[in-house]
Amino acid sequence: MDDSDATSALERAKERDADDELAEFRERFDVPDEYYMDGNSLGPISTDAADSLENAVSEWRELGIRGWTESDPEWFHYGERIGAKLAPLVGARESEVVVADSTTVNIHKLVGSFLDARDDDQPPGVLANDLDFPTDHYAMAAQLRQRGLDPDEHLLRVESADGRTIDADAVVDAIEENDVGIVFMPSVLYRSGQLLDVERITEAAHEHGAYAGFDLAHSVGVVPHDLHDVGVDFAVWCSYKYLNAGPGAIAGLYVHERHHDVEPALAGWWGNDKETMFDMALDFDPAPDAGRHQVGTVPVLSAAPLDGALDVVRDAGIDAIREKSVALTEFMIALVDDRLAEHGVDVGTPRDPERRGGHVALEHEEAYRLSEALRDHGVVTDFRQPNVVRVAPAPLYVGFEDVHDVVHIIEDILETREYETYDRQSGGVT
Ligand SMILES: *Cc1c(COP(=O)(O)O)cnc(C)c1O
């Protein structure tokens, strides 16, 4: 590429930033690195999240036990209140969402509860796929095992034809050809960033009498959802990725209102009807909504940052976030084709924006050492086995010029073979 092309790409990026209605949201965040492209793993802190956390800490200091009823907002209904605040992001009714536990625990709870909720004519097979995030499989397998069902037989996997994506037709075929009671899929594949067709999978599951559940970890906060209207039966997600609620922050769960009578497989007093909870009866009286899937006391300190973090997302608007997200990933893919393809970089993410989540998977045989070299240039991405660098231009704090610069830095590292000065992979968190 010649210099004039390079200049015009930079100019274009600057123009896009100047027109960007979300540009000012960057000021609400403390972003730890110059180019923070890892918000799909751990989003940065916002002033709003820090404030809501600090508010909870001072109320603890000032009120002690009285905080449960006298804090503002009171802690007793914290899980339900934040759930209601999250509901519009996933297209749910307020009663269908609650925050509780972690994503993995919520998978255990809901897959277990829906396995138990099957009618006699619904088979116990759980349909997942080859490219899932591992924890989802560990939880599904464990839930089957706890019911005396062998996961080798009952945890079914749709195979990926290309190692990157899951073909929607293959999912539908698998539902038709197997004894499936529950389909449990991610909305967005964590590695390639493919956005699955939630509606189509849900319809196919329902046509065959199966429940449809989804893990929205990689889409909540960057892709809008329509869970209630689509009729999704249940869903889970975490809030430390695109929702920016902090490391290990409380996770979310959704249960469609037609299933609010489903018995929680992992019952606990925090899932009791709040009206009767302090009767302290030994018989569980589950809440009449998704709140019944809470287990123990709401961890206020891991929920509090989510309160403020959600204000940021609400102020920006999820549709505007998605629009900018698609524009950023389009822009990145075009630049990668232009400048990095010749250096052996492939785009592993679907090119159809309708089938793409918030990040772009760059594939290269030296992906590991490239991601290490990037870090020393102030670019935080992450490496995923075997050959993927995930780059997440999160719309609330990343701009077009950032994307331009990152591609430019990658080009430089590959051109000069700077990555060769880094050690090959040994192990640990990347
Ligand atoms: C991030 C992620 C998780 C994380 O689960 P935790 O219980 O929060 O550790 C689970 N599933 C998927 C698909 C994820 O992307």
Side-chain angles (χ1 to χ4, degrees):
M1 94 156 347
D2 64 37
D3 283 353
S4 63
D5 285 348
T7 315
S8 70
L10 180 59
E11 292 300 311
R12 276 203 314 277
K14 288 184 173 175
E15 281 165 20
R16 305 286 292 266
D17 283 336
D19 286 344
D20 174 16
E21 283 170 15
L22 298 186
E24 65 195 36
F25 281 82
R26 172 76 173 73
E27 286 158 31
R28 285 164 81 159
F29 290 89
D30 277 321
V31 182
D33 299 272
E34 195 173 353
Y35 302 106
Y36 194 78
M37 300 286 176
D38 212 3
N40 59 333
S41 252
L42 179 63
I45 193 168
S46 59
T47 321
D48 309 69
D51 286 351
S52 57
L53 174 61
E54 273 160 29
N55 184 47
V57 171
S58 17
E59 287 181 317
W60 174 24
R61 183 176 287 116
E62 285 155 25
L63 299 170
I65 184 77
R66 285 175 292 135
W68 287 106
T69 49
E70 291 174 24
S71 59
D72 180 22
E74 43 84 15
W75 301 334
F76 188 51
H77 296 93
Y78 219 99
E80 291 83 356
R81 185 177 60 80
I82 307 271
K85 211 167 160 179
L86 262 165
L89 287 185
V90 294
R93 309 243 159 109
E94 293 189 353
S95 62
E96 293 174 325
V97 179
V98 72
V99 293
D101 304 295
S102 67
T103 303
T104 308
V105 173
N106 288 337
I107 297 170
H108 276 285
K109 282 152 45 175
L110 294 186
V111 168
S113 302
F114 278 83
L115 277 171
D116 293 342
R118 282 173 305 117
D119 293 334
D120 293 339
D121 60 352
Q122 279 174 290
V126 180
L127 183 68
N129 75 67
D130 250 0
L131 301 178
D132 276 325
F133 196 89
T135 200
D136 297 43
H137 278 231
Y138 307 159
M140 289 183 275
Q143 288 305 315
L144 286 164
R145 241 181 270 118
Q146 282 171 30
R147 286 162 182 76
L149 299 161
D150 181 358
D152 287 341
E153 190 182 335
H154 298 288
L155 181 53
L156 311 162
R157 296 181 191 179
V158 178
E159 281 178 26
S160 167
D162 61 1
R164 294 164 163 168
T165 55
I166 297 293
D167 183 18
D169 292 333
V171 177
V172 174
D173 290 348
I175 294 170
E176 285 170 1
E177 289 160 15
N178 294 282
D179 286 335
V180 176
I182 298 179
V183 179
F184 188 68
M185 294 273 164
S187 49
V188 169
L189 296 180
Y190 78 99
R191 193 161 37 202
S192 71
Q194 179 195 7
L195 174 60
L196 273 65
D197 190 336
V198 169
E199 187 165 0
R200 179 149 182 235
I201 293 172
T202 303
E203 280 170 7
H206 288 173
E207 261 169 43
H208 290 82
Y211 296 121
F214 289 90
D215 183 335
L216 312 180
H218 271 278
S219 61
V220 71
V222 76
V223 179
H225 285 289
D226 213 1
L227 299 182
H228 178 89
D229 286 347
V230 166
V232 169
D233 298 284
F234 66 96
V236 301
W237 58 85
C238 46
S239 58
Y240 49 78
K241 294 173 177 166
Y242 292 103
L243 289 178
N244 313 306
I250 197 163
L253 67 84
Y254 151 93
V255 177
H256 195 285
E257 66 184 3
R258 69 175 171 273
H259 299 306
H260 283 175
D261 58 346
V262 164
E263 200 67 31
L266 211 64
W269 79 315
W270 220 260
N272 201 89
D273 190 335
K274 289 287 195 291
E275 300 287 317
T276 59
M277 183 171 152
F278 277 97
D279 295 352
M280 300 303 252
L282 292 183
D283 289 323
F284 183 44
D285 175 20
D289 50 27
R292 61 172 49 196
H293 295 280
Q294 297 168 94
V295 182
T297 305
V298 61
V300 172
L301 297 184
S302 86
L306 178 56
D307 198 0
L310 286 173
D311 291 338
V312 184
V313 175
R314 182 203 52 209
D315 292 352
I318 188 66
D319 293 324
I321 290 173
R322 171 65 175 165
E323 196 180 320
K324 180 175 172 189
S325 167
V326 168
L328 285 167
T329 52
E330 287 282 286
F331 185 65
M332 184 183 309
I333 290 171
L335 282 178
V336 169
D337 285 344
D338 229 31
R339 302 200 187 172
L340 303 183
E342 64 195 272
H343 296 291
V345 176
D346 279 333
V347 174
T349 307
R351 285 164 185 279
D352 174 4
E354 296 269 296
R355 297 273 62 89
R356 191 160 72 232
H359 73 270
V360 175
L362 302 183
E363 299 174 355
H364 190 270
E365 57 182 5
E366 288 287 354
Y368 173 73
R369 295 201 290 179
L370 172 61
S371 69
E372 291 292 292
L374 280 170
R375 202 170 301 185
D376 289 335
H377 287 268
V379 183
V380 180
T381 58
D382 61 28
F383 165 73
R384 286 292 176 267
Q385 297 287 3
N387 65 341
V388 172
V389 177
R390 298 189 305 180
V391 186
L396 290 173
Y397 51 88
V398 174
F400 292 87
E401 191 176 346
D402 298 321
V403 168
H404 168 273
D405 291 355
V406 166
V407 172
H408 188 74
I409 292 167
I410 296 174
E411 184 182 20
D412 232 40
I413 292 170
L414 294 177
E415 213 160 62
T416 60
R417 296 182 168 267
E418 184 189 323
Y419 58 83
E420 287 178 356
T421 61
Y422 289 80
D423 288 338
R424 289 183 190 278
Q425 189 185 4
S426 50
V429 178
T430 61

